[in-house]
Structures are given as structure tokens and as C-alpha cells.
């Protein structure tokens, strides 16, 4: 039997991550390498991603923030608002991907 507290821990979260870097390509390259290592990511545009993970936002923030210099900015926001309906599905369509969390 799965307790309610355990069910909450099993639910994947969706984070919106966007950043702006200065002229240095090092930041962009660092972020691209780190995002590639994450399990389930949808690239929205040049510097914005949707990230689906079981990790806490603090872990994700620490993992990504080490790439940035003081002048650069980024947003990392938890946008999860749906219940966990379908686990382990991969979809090419962004709407289907959002729906299958």
C-alpha cells in the first residue's frame, strides 16, 4: 500500500527554466551540457526549457546555477499543476508531454 506522503514523493514535477547569458559562450555551453544530462527535457527555444524531474527545486537550482556569472540571469519556476496520470510516457508533441505527467 502506498501512503499519501509517498505518493507525493513519486510525483514528477515540471519546471520552466530560462536564462540570458552575456557574450561568453561558456555559460551557454555549460547549460547545454547539463540539460542534456537530465532525463526528460523539452527544448522550447534557444534558452528556455521544460524540465520534468522528481528532484527538488533546490537540487535543480544548485545543479544549473553553477554555470552562471554574476551578470547573467535565469528563471527556474515550478509550474506543476496536474496530478500524476501516466508515468513513463515519451511524446514528441509538447501538449501531450505536458498532459502525460
Amino acid at each position: 500500500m502506498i501512503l499519501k506522503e509517498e505518493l507525493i514523493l513519486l510525483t514528477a514535477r515540471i519546471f520552466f527554466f530560462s536564462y540570458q547569458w552575456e557574450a561568453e559562450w561558456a555559460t551557454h555551453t555549460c547549460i547545454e551540457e547539463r540539460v542534456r544530462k537530465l532525463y526528460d527535457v523539452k527544448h522550447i527555444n534557444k534558452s528556455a526549457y521544460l524540465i520534468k524531474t522528481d528532484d527538488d527545486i533546490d537540487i535543480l537550482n544548485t545543479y544549473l546555477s553553477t554555470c552562471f556569472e554574476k551578470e547573467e540571469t535565469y528563471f527556474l519556476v515550478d509550474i506543476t499543476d496536474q496530478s500524476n496520470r501516466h508515468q513513463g510516457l515519451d511524446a514528441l508533441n509538447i501538449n501531450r508531454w505536458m498532459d502525460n505527467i
Side-chain angles (χ1 to χ4, degrees):
M1 181 166 93
I2 297 177
L3 300 175
K4 183 177 180 183
E5 295 81 15
E6 292 172 337
L7 186 59
I8 291 170
L9 294 176
L10 296 174
T11 303
R13 312 287 306 162
I14 295 179
F15 298 97
F16 173 76
F17 173 66
S18 179
Y19 65 97
Q20 178 178 357
W21 73 95
E22 297 300 318
E24 297 284 332
W25 275 91
T27 300
H28 181 68
T29 303
C30 179
I31 291 296
E32 290 294 316
E33 288 174 2
R34 288 180 179 251
V35 166
R36 245 182 308 209
K37 293 177 184 177
L38 296 173
Y39 176 69
D40 202 353
V41 176
K42 293 295 179 191
H43 197 166
I44 298 173
N45 69 24
K46 167 172 83 169
S47 62
Y49 301 88
L50 291 175
I51 302 170
K52 189 187 314 181
T53 183
D54 295 333
D55 292 337
D56 185 74
I57 193 167
D58 294 329
I59 295 169
L60 195 56
N61 185 41
T62 301
Y63 180 70
L64 296 170
S65 67
T66 56
C67 291
F68 293 100
E69 299 293 327
K70 291 181 180 179
E71 303 83 33
E72 299 166 326
T73 59
Y74 68 95
F75 292 100
L76 179 62
V77 181
D78 185 346
I79 61 169
T80 306
D81 67 348
Q82 297 182 8
S83 62
N84 188 4
R85 296 193 313 222
H86 308 288
Q87 287 207 354
L89 296 178
D90 292 326
L92 297 176
N93 182 303
I94 191 74
N95 293 328
R96 190 172 213 180
W97 185 83
M98 288 287 289
D99 193 42
N100 288 332
I101 62 169

